[in-house]
Structures are given as structure tokens and as C-alpha cells.
């Protein structure tokens, strides 16, 4: 772990000085994880690649602001998520959703998600409708609270909760259907 | 935290199944390190090659323009005693020794008079000078052209697997600009004769051409290698080729 941190620190220091090889190494180390955040948030490859590209350019150009090189991964992740949120805000309008109804629409008593291939879940997250897809990702995978989601996306906390509920319900329906069709 | 969220966070790494295409890194790298075709980056290997060719050219030029010099002091004195003053420009005649005593005073002075003799002889052999100049120019031109053509052939036969030829347009534009410069210098040489300054300019253009071609080749290799690293095996059936 210490060696890995030492390598990372060295790469970040070199990348900060504009070393293209070090920047390339950092990109190859982190691009896959960051790209998957982007593609789950954007829902399509083309926009996800644009967001990823922009995020890495911002990161490499702002590396002097990063105080502790070991924290590069988390720092980069925040830049990526901020870029995803920026993209979400300008690319779609929120549709009204029955906020009061969300609590009754899910049934967590049955752990339907157990034993399901994560690749299928990933595919279905990407296919969720705009709005609930972003809320789902921020709440579940980025561990944002509904309050933080509401502040970042410019919606009410209730809308965030209902969108999450809707996303979970849609996921369950679609995955169940997918398994029924394809096994 | 609900159970679903907990489960998803525990298995979040398994969700990362997509991979970005290689063009993303190329675009990032291009943005962070734009290609500067005219940057004065010296590629040592090619700079050395260019210097060798240039030196060979200069050597040939010097040999061909040099007149046979006699070691016979008497003959030399005799030659220098001739009334060449009227044929020489003023600055040359100022250097001309006036007596034979001055000429034979020391070895040093004899050596210096050798060069003076050469100068003194120039007007006499002036009808041969343009011929030797043109020969020297042709030699310099041929030497450089051979190396440039060799480099062009290398570039034109390297397959472009990562980018289409349009990506390298800046290099082609730069080469065309240098072709125009070369033609312009050659016109000046035809008009005014070959001067040291024009010869330097011409050699400089050839060296720049070599530098640009080498940079282009490096850029092609770099993009190809990145593509191979990012994308794995390459479809060799659809490569592009440049026509520089």
C-alpha cells in the first residue's frame, strides 16, 4: 500500500509539472472507474466520453491545487461528479413525480437484487430515464444525501427522494423482465 | 441506509464494466500538449545527419572554388607584381603588398599572400566562377534532397492506424510553406548569383524540412503506439497513408 502511494505521489508530482507520460499513467489508472461514473450519469457513451475528457483536462490543469498527492483519486472523482452534475443540469428538464407516493412503491422486504449479475444492473442503470438516473447514482453510488442532491441539482429534497424510489422500482421491473427474457 | 444501497456500495467495483475509447486520451493529450510543428526541437540524430550533409556540401564548394596555388615564391611574386590593381576592387587592392620584399619577409606573410593571390586571381578567372558555384549548389541540393526524399518515403509508407491524414495537416502545410521558401531562394540565386547568405538560407530551409519530417514521423509513431496500447490488436486492413 505504501509503495502504491509512493508511486502515485511520484506520478502526480510529475504530472503537475506537465510530464505527458505521468499524465498518461494517471489517466490509464483512473479512467475506467471515472468513465463508468460518467456513463451511468449521462446514460450514453458519447456524452460520457466528453465529460471524462473535460474532467481530466480540468484535473491536470488544476493539479497545483491538490495539496496531498495521495488523495488524487478522490479529488479526481469529485471533479468527475461535478462535471456530471453540470452536464445533467444543462441537458434535461425535471418531470414532476408524485413525491408523496415514493415510500409505497418499493418493497425492500424481498431482496430481489441478490444474485443478479452486476453487469446487468449497470446496463439497466444506464437505461434509466433522465432525472431519476442521476439521483440514483448520486444517492446510491456516490453516497450523497437527498439534501446534497437537492442542492446540487436544484430540485427539492422530496423530488430527490421520489426520483430515487422511482429509479429503484424501474430497475427492479426492468431487471426482472430482462432475466425472464434472457435468463 | 437501505439494504439495496448497502449492497450496491459493497459491489460498486463490479459495476465498472465499460471502457472509454482511445480517442479520449488522444484528445486530452492534444489539449494539454498541442503539437507545435515549428517548435525548434532539435532531433540530435537528424541534426547530426543534416550537419554532415551540410559540411560535405561546403567541402565540395570549397574544393571546387579553390584555385591551384603555386609554392614557388618567385612565381608568386611575379604574379603578384603584375598590375592587377586596376582590375581589383578598392578593398582588395588595399591589402595588396607593394614590394616583393614585403612578400618574402616571413612565412606568415607568404601564407597570407597566398590568399591574397587567390583574391587577386579572382577577376582573371571570373568567367569560371559561376560554373563552379552552380556545381557546388547542385551538390548541396542533391545531398539534401536525397536525405529529405528518404525521410519522406519513410513517412509516406508508415501506416496511420490511430488518426486519419487530416490530423497531420499542420505538417503538410508547413512542408508546403518551406517548398515555397526554397523556390523563392532559388529564384534569388538565379537572379543575384550564389552568395553565402543565400546558401545559408537554402541549407536552413533543407534542415527545417528534415526537422518537420522527423517530427511528423515521431507523431505518427506516438499516436499509433497509444492506439495499440489502448485498443489492443489493430485492424491492419484499413490503414491510411500520408502523401507528403
Amino acid at each position: 500500500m505504501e509503495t502504491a502511494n509512493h508511486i502515485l505521489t511520484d506520478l502526480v508530482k510529475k504530472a503537475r509539472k506537465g510530464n505527458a507520460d505521468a499524465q498518461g499513467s494517471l489517466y490509464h489508472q483512473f479512467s475506467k472507474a471515472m468513465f463508468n461514473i460518467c456513463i451511468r450519469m449521462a446514460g450514453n457513451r458519447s456524452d460520457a466520453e466528453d465529460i471524462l475528457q473535460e474532467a481530466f483536462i480540468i484535473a491536470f490543469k488544476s493539479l497545483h491545487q491538490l495539496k496531498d498527492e495521495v488523495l488524487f483519486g478522490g479529488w479526481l472523482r469529485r471533479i468527475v461528479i461535478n462535471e456530471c452534475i453540470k452536464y445533467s443540469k444543462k441537458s434535461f428538464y425535471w418531470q414532476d413525480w408524485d413525491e408523496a407516493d415514493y415510500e409505497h412503491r418499493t418493497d425492500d422486504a424481498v431482496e430481489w437484487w441478490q444474485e443478479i449479475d452486476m453487469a446487468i444492473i449497470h446496463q439497466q442503470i444506464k437505461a434509466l430515464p433522465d432525472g431519476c438516473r442521476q439521483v440514483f447514482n448520486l444517492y446510491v453510488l456516490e453516497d450523497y444525501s437527498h439534501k446534497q442532491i437537492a442542492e446540487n441539482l436544484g430540485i427539492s429534497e422530496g423530488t430527490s427522494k421520489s426520483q430515487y424510489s422511482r429509479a429503484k422500482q424501474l430497475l427492479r421491473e426492468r431487471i426482472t423482465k430482462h432475466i425472464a427474457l434472457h435468463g | 441506509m437501505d439494504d439495496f444501497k448497502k449492497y450496491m456500495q459493497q459491489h460498486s467495483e463490479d459495476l465498472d464494466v465499460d471502457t472509454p475509447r482511445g480517442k479520449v486520451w488522444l484528445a486530452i493529450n492534444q489539449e494539454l500538449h498541442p503539437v507545435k510543428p515549428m517548435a525548434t526541437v532539435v532531433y540530435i540524430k537528424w541534426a547530426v545527419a543534416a550537419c554532415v550533409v551540410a559540411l560535405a556540401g561546403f567541402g565540395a564548394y570549397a574544393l571546387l572554388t579553390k584555385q591551384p596555388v603555386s609554392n614557388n615564391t618567385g612565381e608568386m611574386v611575379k604574379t603578384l607584381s603584375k598590375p592587377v590593381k586596376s582590375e581589383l576592387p578598392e578593398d582588395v587592392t588595399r591589402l595588396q603588398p607593394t614590394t616583393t620584399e614585403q612578400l618574402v619577409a616571413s612565412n606568415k606573410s607568404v601564407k597570407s599572400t597566398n590568399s591574397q593571390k587567390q583574391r587577386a586571381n579572382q577577376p582573371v578567372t571570373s568567367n569560371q566562377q559561376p560554373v563552379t558555384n552552380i556545381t557546388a549548389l547542385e551538390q548541396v541540393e542533391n545531398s539534401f534532397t536525397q536525405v529529405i526524399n528518404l525521410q519522406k518515403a519513410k513517412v509516406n509508407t508508415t501506416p496511420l492506424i490511430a488518426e486519419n491524414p487530416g490530423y497531420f495537416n499542420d505538417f503538410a502545410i508547413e512542408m508546403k510553406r518551406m517548398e515555397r521558401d526554397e523556390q523563392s531562394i532559388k529564384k534569388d540565386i538565379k537572379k543575384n548569383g550564389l552568395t553565402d547568405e543565400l546558401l545559408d538560407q537554402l541549407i536552413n530551409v533543407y534542415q527545417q524540412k528534415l526537422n518537420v519530417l522527423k517530427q511528423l514521423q515521431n507523431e505518427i509513431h506516438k499516436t499509433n503506439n497509444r492506439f495499440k496500447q489502448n485498443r489492443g490488436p489493430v485492424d491492419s486492413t484499413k490503414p491510411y497513408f500520408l502523401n507528403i
Side-chain angles (χ1 to χ4, degrees):
Chain A
M1 187 66 183
E2 227 171 78
T3 314
N5 282 345
H6 181 73
I7 293 169
L8 178 63
T9 303
D10 192 45
L11 282 175
V12 173
K13 279 179 181 169
K14 282 180 182 170
R16 187 182 284 145
K17 288 175 187 165
N19 183 310
D21 290 338
Q23 289 170 345
S25 298
L26 288 172
Y27 173 81
H28 291 299
Q29 192 175 334
F30 291 96
S31 61
K32 191 176 176 183
M34 299 304 138
F35 179 64
N36 279 281
I37 295 171
C38 296
I39 203 166
R40 282 192 296 266
M41 286 286 279
N44 68 81
R45 171 172 286 273
S46 173
D47 287 339
E49 285 179 340
D50 286 348
I51 297 169
L52 182 76
Q53 180 183 322
E54 193 55 36
F56 266 98
I57 289 169
I58 291 171
F60 286 137
K61 284 185 175 174
S62 322
L63 260 183
H64 59 278
Q65 294 173 7
L66 177 65
K67 303 289 176 212
D68 187 353
E69 290 84 4
V70 178
L71 303 178
F72 176 78
W75 179 75
L76 177 66
R77 193 180 183 105
R78 282 198 298 281
I79 292 174
V80 168
I81 292 165
N82 283 342
E83 285 305 298
C84 288
I85 290 171
K86 211 196 289 180
Y87 162 84
S88 303
K89 284 166 93 169
K90 69 177 181 190
S91 64
F92 66 89
Y93 294 101
W94 290 91
Q95 286 177 338
D96 288 335
W97 183 255
D98 187 355
E99 293 178 18
D101 204 26
Y102 74 92
E103 279 177 352
H104 310 291
R105 290 183 174 271
T106 56
D107 178 13
D108 284 356
V110 184
E111 293 192 340
W112 56 270
W113 55 85
Q114 298 282 359
E115 309 298 326
I116 292 174
D117 185 355
M118 293 304 279
I120 296 172
I121 298 180
H122 176 72
Q123 291 303 324
Q124 294 304 328
I125 293 172
K126 287 192 290 184
L128 284 171
D130 283 340
C132 73
R133 187 179 64 247
Q134 285 82 359
V135 170
F136 177 88
N137 280 302
L138 291 173
Y139 182 72
V140 175
L141 298 166
E142 306 309 327
D143 210 16
Y144 275 45
S145 67
H146 285 300
K147 193 180 173 193
Q148 286 172 314
I149 294 169
E151 282 166 3
N152 278 286
L153 292 178
I155 55 176
S156 71
E157 214 175 314
T159 301
S160 176
K161 286 177 183 172
S162 64
Q163 291 290 341
Y164 169 58
S165 174
R166 181 189 175 204
K168 211 157 69 162
Q169 186 189 340
L170 281 172
L171 269 183
R172 182 181 180 178
E173 286 169 8
R174 290 176 179 186
I175 289 170
T176 310
K177 195 175 171 186
H178 179 92
I179 290 169
L181 285 171
H182 305 285
Chain B
M1 187 188 292
D2 64 55
D3 291 340
F4 177 68
K5 182 174 175 176
K6 207 184 291 173
Y7 178 82
M8 291 296 287
Q9 286 187 353
Q10 281 166 357
H11 297 83
S12 61
E13 280 185 16
D14 300 332
L15 286 172
D16 294 346
V17 292
D18 285 314
T19 311
R21 286 175 285 190
K23 68 172 189 175
V24 179
W25 170 243
L26 290 179
I28 293 168
N29 196 38
Q30 177 68 22
E31 173 75 24
L32 296 170
H33 308 279
V35 178
K36 295 173 189 165
M38 277 313 290
T40 51
V41 179
V42 179
Y43 290 95
I44 294 169
K45 197 172 137 192
W46 282 94
V48 168
C51 287
V52 168
V53 175
L55 281 173
F58 277 127
Y61 174 74
L63 278 173
L64 288 165
T65 53
K66 195 174 181 180
Q67 297 305 309
V69 179
S70 170
N71 286 329
N72 186 328
T73 317
E75 199 179 301
M76 185 172 65
V77 171
K78 200 173 152 188
T79 313
L80 288 169
S81 304
K82 282 181 186 174
V84 291
K85 191 176 177 181
S86 59
E87 297 174 34
L88 294 170
E90 202 182 337
D91 59 329
V92 177
T93 53
R94 232 187 298 124
L95 296 167
Q96 194 74 19
T98 49
T99 63
T100 52
E101 285 79 7
Q102 279 175 296
L103 286 167
V104 295
S106 68
N107 283 340
K108 201 176 175 183
S109 67
V110 169
K111 277 180 191 167
S112 72
T113 51
N114 276 345
S115 63
Q116 287 164 7
K117 183 191 160 197
Q118 276 181 280
R119 285 187 182 199
N121 280 341
Q122 274 179 353
V124 179
T125 59
S126 61
N127 57 337
Q128 294 169 6
Q129 198 62 31
V131 177
T132 53
N133 277 351
I134 288 164
T135 315
L137 177 65
E138 279 172 357
Q139 287 203 343
V140 172
E141 207 178 314
N142 287 341
S143 309
F144 270 108
T145 308
Q146 277 180 4
V147 183
I148 289 168
N149 286 344
L150 190 76
Q151 185 59 28
K152 274 185 181 176
K154 264 189 182 180
V155 168
N156 288 339
T157 52
T158 308
L160 312 178
I161 55 173
E163 297 291 342
N164 61 37
Y167 180 82
F168 302 98
N169 239 357
D170 286 349
F171 291 96
I173 291 167
E174 197 53 42
M175 284 300 287
K176 275 182 191 159
R177 190 188 65 76
M178 285 186 293
E179 300 276 358
R180 284 198 297 274
D181 287 352
E182 185 188 341
Q183 293 311 318
S184 161
I185 294 166
K186 281 180 180 171
K187 266 185 196 167
D188 285 351
I189 290 172
K190 268 187 191 168
K191 200 173 158 188
N192 306 321
L194 180 63
T195 63
D196 286 350
E197 195 187 346
L198 286 171
L199 185 66
D200 281 348
Q201 284 179 12
L202 193 61
I203 289 169
N204 194 29
V205 167
Y206 287 138
Q207 285 171 335
Q208 281 185 26
K209 272 184 166 182
L210 281 171
N211 281 343
V212 169
L213 285 168
K214 191 60 195 164
Q215 284 179 17
L216 174 56
Q217 202 193 1
N218 284 347
E219 188 60 24
I220 293 170
H221 282 310
K222 218 157 70 177
T223 53
N224 283 354
N225 287 341
R226 273 194 212 117
F227 187 84
K228 283 175 192 166
Q229 281 169 8
N230 292 336
R231 301 293 304 272
V234 172
D235 179 6
S236 57
T237 56
K238 295 176 192 168
Y240 293 103
F241 288 94
L242 280 176
N243 184 18
I244 289 285

